Every structure is written in structure tokens, then in C-alpha cells.
């Protein structure tokens, strides 16, 4: 384990990147320091007893408002972790050019220890505390799901905001990652996993990157291991298996791992895990209790999608994957990062790789403020234009257009198609810009280039507002 906090580790990475910028020392210090962290203890009477819960919401940088970042539920949550995660949000939001500062929240709670109705009361109480201090507000601070939370918790938070601010017409935009029908947007739940898939595809579209990672051939058939089979890990492996023909050879959960060199059926493994709480006895592969030990096996692509600091100075030297794609936030410690770079392991860093969630959250927030779904106004008009085009082509050529093309035109574009297209464009554009910065400034790795790209943008923002 690393003996420094996520914030310290992140700031060391920032220091490395600062050498490639013209940012002054005093401004760098300002950017790195969290603006404010609100710590809270609140009580909820449950099971005949008053339970005190501890939570945090950190605003790392308000150079743009609202600030944005998820809320995590975990028994290990702590102040230092929240501040580190909030810092990562500041840099991530800047890289993918969403108009937000960085924030993060957490509640120290094990969601599995409470019934759903109890969790609802705990979440609503936590939300009340944050709402009354503008720590949840469509214009100031907009949370989203993170580890241990999902659409259900976001719906409770949005409802609590509505009760406390009934006249706020934009109230639904106070939080993203809500369920469909409650102000949510299609494609948000799987967005982070989808983003992982898109960025890996983008990586494999560059012959120089493929060569640098010592790969032969394209993405098809590549052996992938995923740590954490929750929202992000499950979706990333599902899409990579179903749409890119990758082999998911290992899935590492905290209750044990499932291993199969011929490939695991992701959907069946997920169903088994949901039912039994562990992979033990699953026919999809061999069960191995000590899942962490499998991080150092040979894979083409390793996707840590669980928690921080899982690759650290104790195991980094033994990592054999060619490419690590950080779906989790902060899975590699500062020391481990140095070792992996020295050993030629390519890393697509968290602040770039897992930005799919915040990108689609941005679409949801905009949609809530517009009060109309994307594509609503133009859909019928576009269909009519397509029909006219088909008629014109058929009239001019004297031939009938094949049905498969006609059907594609006739179905038009759904909102989910627009969301996927926007996500693909924004995340791949960010990857290309970071890659170009790396080449242009002779920066040794993608992570340092990503931080440099973010820092340059944040510095301009600070300088223009005169801070
Ligand atoms: P989740 O709670 O849905 O899933 C996390 C999974 O990891 C769970 O199945 C859990 O059992 C497993 N896990 C926890 N500790 C583990 C360990 N030590 N070894 C193996 N497995 C372990 O959470 P999530 O939303 O998928 O988030 C996962 C990571 O991705 C977190 O670091 C989070 O900050 C990051 N992330 C999430 C989103 C999002 O949209 N949900 C966006 C960006 C980044």
C-alpha cells in the first residue's frame, strides 16, 4: 500500500506536469489546493437507535461553476480520499472540456448493511444537509453517482431538492445519473464503461500506439482482465466482449476472481455474481479466492475498475499487462506509476479514460436545463428530408434503393444515438489532444500530458477571472 493520500499522490503527478507549462509557482499552489471541504455528522433514527453518519463534500476548484463530481458510499470513505477524488474531477472536467469545476462527495456507510428504506432515509438526510449549504444546486454543485451509489440514490437526492426548492424550475439539474422518467438520460448508467470502450478503440486506431504497447494486430481477440465488476467494470467488459470481440479472461472482485483463458461470458458471470454475491461455483471459469494476486498475471489489457491504490510499489514491478486503462479513480500510486513507465507499460490515465460518466452527465444537465430531449425538434423534419432524398435518388437512377439502406434512413436518429455520438466525439477528441501534447512537448507519458493539458486550461480560467 502507498503511504500517501490520493491528494498527495495526485499533486505529485501535477508537479511533474507543471514542468511542461508556464504556470507560476503561486498559481500552481492555488490550483492544487482544495477550495473548501464541508465535513458533516448527522443522525438518523433507525432500528430503534440514533445512528450518526459522517459525510463530506469537497469543492476542489470553482474556476468554473457549477462544480461537478460523484457521491461515493463506502465504509472506508474519508476526508483525504474525498479531496483527492475532487482534485481528479477538476483536471478531468478540464481535459474533456465540460464547463465545470471539480468536486466530490462521500458518505461513510456500507450500503449492504442497510435495507433499501433505511438507505433512503440516510440519503435524504445527507442530501438535506448538503442542499441547505448549496452543496447540491443546479447552478453551484451538481453530484452524480460513484462507487456504492446509482440511479436510485440520485432520484432520492433530486426529490429532496424538489421538496426544499419547489419553485426552482431547473431543479432536476441539481444532480445527474437520475433514472429515466425522473430527468435521467438514456446512456448515462453505462456511460463510463462505454467511454472506456471508445478510448480503447481510439488507442487501437493509431498504429504508433499499437507498436509502442508491443501489440500485434488490432483489438479483436485481445486478452482483457477487469478488476471490479460493478457499474463501470461490468459495462466496459460487456461492450468490449460483445462489440469488439475481446476475450475477458479474468474478472477480479473483492470476494474472489473468475478466470478463464478462453474467455468469460460477461452477462452470465454478472448474473451469477448478482445472485450469489461471489463467483465461487460459477461455471464460467475457475474461482480464485485471492483476486488481488491476479493483477500481475499476463494480459494484453488490464482495466482496474474498483478502488484506489491497487497497483502500488508492492506489485508494480510484477505487472505484465501491455496496456492499463484506468477506469477507477487513482488505482495506480505515484511510485507505481514511475515503475510502470520505466517498464514500458502504457497507461491511459483515469482523468482521461473514465471521463465518459461526466461527459454524459453534462448532456443530462443540459437536457434538464433545456426541458426538451435532444433531437426532439428536428427528428420529423430530418425524416422528411431523407424521404425526399431517397425519392430523388430513385427517380434519377430509375432503380429502387435496397431495403436495408432505406430502413436505416427511415428509422431516424434516437436520443441514445446522439448521446453515443457526442460521447465518442468528446472522449476521443480529448485523447487525441492529450496524445498530440505528449508528442509536441516531448512528454514521456500520457498521464503527464493529460495533466499538462488540464493545467493549461485551468490556468487560463484563473487568469481571466483575475485570481
Ligand atoms: P460500483 O460500486 O458499481 O462497483 C465497484 C465494484 O468494485 C463492486 O462490484 C465492488 O465489489 C468491487 N470492488 C471493491 N473493492 C474491490 C477490490 N479491492 N478488488 C476487487 N473488486 C473490488 O462502482 P463504480 O461506479 O463501478 O465505480 C468503480 C470505480 O470507477 C471507482 O473508482 C469510481 O470512482 C470510478 N468511476 C465511476 C464512475 C461512474 O460513472 N460510476 C465514473 C468515473 C469513475
Amino acid at each position: 500500500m502507498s503511504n500517501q493520500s490520493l491528494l498527495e499522490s495526485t499533486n505529485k503527478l501535477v508537479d511533474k506536469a507543471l514542468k511542461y507549462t508556464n504556470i507560476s509557482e503561486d498559481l500552481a499552489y492555488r490550483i492544487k489546493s482544495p477550495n473548501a471541504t464541508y465535513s458533516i455528522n448527522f443522525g438518523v433514527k433507525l432500528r430503534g437507535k440514533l445512528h450518526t453518519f459522517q459525510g463530506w463534500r469537497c469543492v476542489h476548484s470553482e474556476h468554473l461553476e457549477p462544480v461537478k463530481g460523484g457521491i461515493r458510499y463506502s465504509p472506508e470513505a474519508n476526508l483525504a480520499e474525498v479531496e483527492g477524488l475532487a482534485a481528479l474531477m477538476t483536471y478531468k472536467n478540464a481535459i474533456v472540456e465540460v464547463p465545470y469545476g471539480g468536486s466530490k462527495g462521500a458518505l461513510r456507510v456500507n450500503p449492504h448493511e442497510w435495507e433499501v428504506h433505511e438507505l433512503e432515509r440516510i440519503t435524504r438526510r445527507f442530501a438535506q444537509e448538503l442542499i441547505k449549504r448549496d452543496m447540491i444546486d443546479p447552478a453551484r454543485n451538481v453530484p452524480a453517482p460513484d462507487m456504492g451509489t446509482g440511479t436510485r440514490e440520485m432520484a432520492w437526492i433530486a426529490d429532496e431538492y424538489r421538496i426544499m426548492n419547489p419553485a426552482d424550475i431547473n431543479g432536476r439539474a441539481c444532480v445527474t445519473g437520475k433514472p429515466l422518467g425522473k430527468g435521467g438520460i438514456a446512456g448515462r448508467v453505462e456511460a463510463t464503461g462505454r467511454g472506456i470502450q471508445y478510448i480503447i478503440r481510439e488507442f487501437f486506431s493509431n498504429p504508433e500506439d499499437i507498436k509502442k504497447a508491443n501489440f500485434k494486430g488490432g483489438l479483436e481477440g485481445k486478452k482483457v482482465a477487469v478488476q471490479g465488476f460493478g457499474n463501470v467494470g461490468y459495462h466496459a467488459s460487456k461492450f468490449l466482449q460483445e462489440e469488439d470481440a475481446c476475450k475477458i479472461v479474468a474478472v477480479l472482485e473483492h470476494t474472489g476472481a473468475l478466470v478463464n483463458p478462453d474467455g468469460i461470458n460477461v452477462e452470465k458471470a454478472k448474473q451469477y455474481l448478482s445472485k450469489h454475491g461471489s463467483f465461487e461455483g460459477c461455471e464460467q471459469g475457475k474461482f480464485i479466492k485471492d483476486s488481488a494476486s491476479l493483477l500481475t498475471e499476463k494480459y494484453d489489457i488490464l482495466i482496474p475498475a474498483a478502488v484506489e491504490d491497487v497497483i502500488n510499489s508492492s506489485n508494480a514491478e510484477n505487472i505484465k499487462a501491455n496496456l492499463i486503462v484506468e477506469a477507477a479513480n487513482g488505482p495506480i500510486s505515484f511510485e507505481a506509476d514511475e515503475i510502470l513507465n520505466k517498464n514500458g507499460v502504457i497507461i491511459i490515465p483515469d482523468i482521461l479514460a473514465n471521463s465518459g460518466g461526466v461527459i454524459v452527465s453534462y448532456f443530462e444537465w443540459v437536457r434538464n436545463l433545456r426541458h426538451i430531449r435532444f433531437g426532439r425538434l428536428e427528428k420529423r423534419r430530418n425524416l422528411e428530408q431523407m424521404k425526399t432524398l431517397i425519392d430523388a435518388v430513385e427517380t434519377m437512377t430509375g432503380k429502387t434503393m435496397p431495403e436495408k439502406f432505406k430502413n436505416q434512413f427511415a428509422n431516424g436518429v434516437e436520443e441514445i444515438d446522439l448521446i453515443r455520438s457526442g460521447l465518442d466525439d468528446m472522449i476521443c477528441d480529448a485523447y487525441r489532444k492529450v496524445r498530440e501534447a505528449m508528442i509536441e512537448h516531448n512528454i514521456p507519458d500520457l498521464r503527464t500530458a493529460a495533466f499538462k493539458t488540464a493545467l493549461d486550461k485551468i490556468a487560463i480560467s484563473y487568469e481571466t477571472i483575475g485570481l
Side-chain angles (χ1 to χ4, degrees):
M1 290 284 278
S2 159
N3 55 8
Q4 59 193 346
S5 75
L6 180 61
L7 183 63
E8 287 166 337
S9 188
T10 304
N11 282 345
K12 280 186 161 185
L13 297 168
V14 172
D15 288 339
K16 243 171 106 177
L18 280 165
K19 292 180 197 130
Y20 297 93
T21 71
N22 296 320
I23 297 171
S24 63
E25 220 172 286
D26 48 349
L27 179 56
Y29 183 77
R30 179 72 283 280
I31 293 173
K32 286 191 290 182
S33 319
N35 287 13
T37 307
Y38 175 54
S39 299
I40 175 196
N41 291 293
F42 61 92
V44 188
K45 202 160 182 199
L46 298 162
R47 304 179 190 177
K49 184 178 157 214
L50 186 67
H51 294 263
T52 298
F53 293 91
Q54 194 175 18
W56 301 267
R57 184 83 184 153
C58 170
V59 175
H60 178 262
S61 176
E62 290 157 296
H63 67 285
L64 286 175
E65 278 195 309
V67 293
K68 191 135 190 37
I71 291 183
R72 169 176 291 199
Y73 282 7
S74 154
E76 278 97 39
N78 60 72
L79 173 76
E81 180 187 73
V82 176
E83 291 189 335
L85 291 167
L88 290 176
M89 285 311 298
T90 295
Y91 304 114
K92 188 184 308 179
N93 292 342
I95 291 175
V96 293
E97 297 177 0
V98 289
Y100 301 130
S103 183
K104 201 84 181 189
L107 187 63
R108 185 178 291 163
V109 64
N110 183 348
H112 303 294
E113 282 177 1
W114 299 97
E115 302 284 332
V116 174
H117 67 96
E118 294 171 325
L119 265 182
E120 176 172 356
R121 287 189 54 202
I122 298 165
T123 303
R124 285 183 182 272
R125 277 288 292 114
F126 187 34
Q128 284 164 14
E129 294 296 327
L130 296 178
I131 293 164
K132 68 187 185 200
R133 288 173 180 82
D134 291 341
M135 292 278 178
I136 297 178
D137 181 296
R140 308 290 311 279
N141 196 325
V142 184
D146 192 70
M147 226 172 73
T149 59
T151 51
R152 183 182 67 184
E153 287 73 16
M154 301 306 115
W156 292 331
I157 293 173
D159 191 52
E160 209 52 43
Y161 183 87
R162 183 190 58 79
I163 293 166
M164 292 172 74
N165 299 274
D168 185 348
I169 195 169
N170 293 321
R172 277 186 154 181
C174 74
V175 65
T176 58
K178 300 178 291 293
L180 294 174
K182 295 257 178 217
I185 197 163
R188 173 59 185 92
V189 174
E190 68 265 31
T192 309
R194 189 57 91 181
I196 296 291
Q197 176 199 26
Y198 287 160
I199 213 156
I200 294 177
R201 280 183 181 176
E202 183 60 27
F203 180 90
F204 275 89
S205 74
N206 285 299
E208 306 92 55
D209 291 1
I210 296 178
K211 201 168 152 207
K212 214 170 151 191
N214 272 324
F215 282 134
K216 288 192 178 56
L219 186 50
E220 193 179 327
K222 288 284 171 290
K223 295 193 169 180
V224 180
V226 180
Q227 185 193 40
F229 210 39
N231 179 356
V232 179
Y234 159 67
H235 283 109
S237 40
K238 176 183 164 73
F239 299 141
L240 286 167
Q241 175 173 78
E242 291 175 0
E243 298 172 22
D244 299 289
C246 287
K247 264 191 196 164
I248 310 300
V249 294
V251 180
L252 283 49
E253 258 294 325
H254 72 287
T255 47
L258 191 62
V259 179
N260 185 345
D262 298 323
I264 293 161
N265 181 312
V266 170
E267 209 47 61
K268 286 189 181 156
K270 184 67 180 174
Q271 278 168 17
Y272 192 92
L273 183 68
S274 306
K275 195 165 164 200
H276 302 277
S278 152
F279 290 122
E280 194 161 10
C282 179
E283 286 175 355
Q284 282 300 307
K286 193 170 153 201
F287 177 72
I288 294 179
K289 185 80 191 141
D290 178 13
S291 70
S293 66
L294 296 175
L295 286 168
T296 52
E297 291 297 311
K298 173 78 188 94
Y299 312 109
D300 293 314
I301 306 171
L302 175 61
I303 307 179
V307 286
E308 296 91 76
D309 201 29
V310 291
I311 301 176
N312 49 52
S313 45
S314 73
N315 59 1
E317 200 65 68
N318 300 324
I319 294 284
K320 297 173 199 74
N322 303 45
L323 174 67
I324 301 180
V325 185
E326 292 185 321
N329 284 306
I332 299 178
S333 73
F334 178 78
E335 293 79 14
D337 193 57
E338 304 256 281
I339 296 168
L340 294 168
N341 286 332
K342 176 185 71 116
N343 291 350
V345 179
I346 308 289
I347 303 165
I348 306 185
D350 46 9
I351 49 172
L352 184 57
N354 71 28
S355 59
V358 77
I359 291 174
V360 178
S361 272
Y362 168 51
F363 300 155
E364 180 178 330
W365 180 74
V366 171
R367 184 193 202 259
N368 291 153
L369 297 176
R370 287 168 25 136
H371 301 270
I372 188 166
R373 71 166 189 255
F374 292 109
R376 173 96 245 195
L377 291 183
E378 56 273 44
K379 185 173 176 186
R380 191 149 290 271
R381 172 86 186 117
N382 288 344
L383 285 175
E384 277 165 14
Q385 280 185 326
M386 284 300 167
K387 193 171 172 303
T388 310
L389 188 71
I390 293 168
D391 285 349
V393 170
E394 290 184 342
T395 309
M396 285 189 303
T397 59
K399 290 181 184 162
T400 308
M401 186 178 276
E403 281 305 309
K404 67 169 186 175
F405 296 123
K406 256 191 191 169
N407 287 343
Q408 269 185 23
F409 288 131
N411 289 337
V413 177
E414 297 295 333
E415 189 173 47
I416 183 71
D417 302 319
L418 296 172
I419 299 303
R420 286 191 188 142
S421 151
L423 168 59
D424 197 354
D425 186 51
M426 283 178 77
I427 201 164
C428 292
D429 191 44
Y431 178 82
R432 282 190 288 272
K433 283 182 179 150
V434 167
R435 190 176 172 275
E436 276 159 22
M438 182 177 78
I439 294 165
E440 189 185 332
H441 300 280
N442 238 334
I443 301 173
D445 56 274
L446 281 167
R447 191 192 307 278
T448 311
F451 273 110
K452 178 211 159 27
T453 309
L455 283 163
D456 283 342
K457 288 182 185 158
I458 297 164
I460 291 172
S461 207
Y462 268 105
E463 276 156 7
T464 49
I465 51 177
L467 290 175

